Amino acid sequence: MELTKVTFTLNGIERTLSVGDAFGQLKPAETLLETLRERFGLTGAKLSCNDGACGCCTVLVDDVAVPSCTVLTVEVDGKKVTTIEGLTNEKGELDPLQQAFIDHYAFQCGYCTPGIIMAAKGLLLKNPHPTREEIGEALAGNFCRCISQYHVFDAVEAIAQEGGAQK
């Protein structure tokens, strides 16, 4: 059975897109990254390698970190998608993990930072108290050209010591 529409929750809001080849419809081959950036204006997930190797486009799908450039939007039908923009709370305050990145100077240019934060968030949701080795494994798919990773590790470890990620 071919999908005629896709419905998913994006940062807490249910979204429905018509699937087809007509103007304005979601093309079956459109990636989640394209949908987030071009249809919803959510530019936190970055296009870089377009092959799932760099981690710049990482988002959470049902609380699991995935490279959005390798996921088709039709594949998230019925699922929950969270982007970096969706981590703020109802008052617009940063997620504690985002604040930890600021507090620990865990970014420089910022291009890859949203993907790293989302990969770390996925880890903390699964394992609130990861070891430094587990943090390294979770972030192995994220590539940054301009920072020493120990700042990122320090930020994630600070949140792990405070009790992990909040949903």
Side-chain angles (χ1 to χ4, degrees):
M1 183 170 136
E2 194 171 311
L3 280 177
T4 58
K5 67 178 184 167
V6 172
T7 301
F8 58 99
T9 303
L10 176 58
N11 295 334
I13 300 170
E14 187 174 283
R15 304 291 187 165
T16 300
L17 299 170
S18 172
V19 178
D21 291 322
F23 180 78
Q25 286 187 307
L26 175 72
K27 306 286 186 254
E30 185 172 309
T31 67
L32 181 57
L33 178 61
E34 292 169 317
T35 300
L36 295 172
R37 294 182 62 83
E38 296 169 19
R39 294 182 185 271
F40 296 109
L42 299 173
T43 57
K46 304 293 191 269
L47 175 61
S48 186
C49 72
N50 208 27
D51 196 30
C54 72
C56 288
C57 67
T58 301
V59 300
L60 300 179
V61 176
D62 288 343
D63 292 335
V64 175
V66 299
S68 61
C69 71
T70 65
V71 175
L72 299 178
T73 304
V74 295
E75 294 177 304
V76 299
D77 186 46
K79 298 184 180 184
K80 178 179 83 167
V81 176
T82 307
T83 68
I84 190 80
E85 294 91 347
L87 291 186
T88 57
N89 66 20
E90 302 81 36
K91 297 177 187 175
E93 299 168 332
L94 294 177
D95 183 90
L97 182 58
Q98 290 171 301
Q99 187 61 53
F101 269 63
I102 293 168
D103 295 344
H104 291 273
Y105 308 102
F107 60 92
Q108 283 186 19
C109 83
Y111 194 84
C112 65
T113 306
I116 293 172
I117 290 173
M118 296 310 291
K121 184 73 172 182
L123 167 66
L124 292 168
L125 288 169
K126 183 174 73 175
N127 177 3
H129 303 288
T131 64
R132 199 165 180 95
E133 183 178 310
E134 290 168 327
I135 294 168
E137 288 174 21
L139 299 180
N142 294 83
F143 182 69
C144 176
R145 292 180 182 208
C146 54
I147 187 168
S148 299
Q149 290 296 92
Y150 67 89
H151 291 294
V152 170
F153 281 71
D154 292 346
V156 177
E157 282 182 323
I159 296 301
Q161 292 170 0
E162 293 173 10
Q166 303 156 4
K167 285 198 177 195

